[in-house]
Amino acid sequence: QVQLVESGGGSVQTGGSLRLSCAASGFDISTVCMAWFRQTSGREREGVATIDSEGKSVYADSVKGRFTISRDSAKNTLSLQMNNLVPEDTAMYYCAAAEDDCMVAAQALGIMTPVHLFHNWGQGTQVTVSS
């Protein structure tokens, strides 16, 4: 049974840092496309970062240079290091897994693999950044 459990959310001030973790079970995260998404009330879910089976990462423009996605294959855990946080980063953050690797074309263009390809989701962890 596939399960994703996020942790590490919280409240910080502008300029602060947080590290989100996603513990996966039931599959090997190093063999599929893994991602972090975020969502605020009334808005569509937004892709934050993806990482493919080769470890290549893609980021949304809004987080480039501030966020880093990584995985620990031994622990089967996905992480998101978030630095220099701003109020616009406030959202519920979700870990997601596709059933296959990231789209080759998307990776080549440096864009996010489409959300509809992610079929397994965690319950989310809240991140709040105050000014």
Side-chain angles (χ1 to χ4, degrees):
Q1 180 180 359
V2 172
Q3 189 173 20
L4 300 170
V5 179
E6 301 98 333
S7 62
S11 298
V12 296
Q13 292 187 327
T14 297
S17 298
L18 284 173
R19 185 176 181 87
L20 305 184
S21 294
C22 172
S25 57
F27 72 105
D28 184 347
I29 66 169
S30 64
T31 64
V32 299
C33 189
M34 296 294 298
W36 288 97
F37 288 81
R38 65 187 182 186
Q39 188 171 25
T40 55
S41 179
R43 300 187 66 177
E44 292 186 357
R45 197 162 290 190
E46 174 192 19
V48 175
T50 58
I51 185 167
D52 67 13
S53 64
E54 296 182 355
K56 180 180 177 182
S57 55
V58 172
Y59 298 92
D61 288 342
S62 58
V63 306
K64 282 180 182 176
R66 301 188 298 122
F67 291 11
T68 302
I69 188 172
S70 63
R71 63 173 182 238
D72 184 332
S73 297
K75 295 181 179 179
N76 213 34
T77 298
L78 183 73
S79 295
L80 184 69
Q81 178 65 42
M82 305 185 295
N83 297 328
N84 195 20
L85 286 160
V86 296
E88 291 73 24
D89 295 319
T90 296
M92 185 72 79
Y93 283 71
Y94 297 90
C95 170
E99 295 184 349
D100 207 338
D101 209 345
C102 300
M103 283 183 61
V104 174
Q107 293 293 95
L109 292 172
I111 60 176
M112 298 285 296
T113 292
V115 63
H116 71 271
L117 295 180
F118 293 90
H119 300 286
N120 297 295
W121 296 83
Q123 81 289 350
T125 186
Q126 179 67 37
V127 171
T128 303
V129 184
S130 59
S131 58

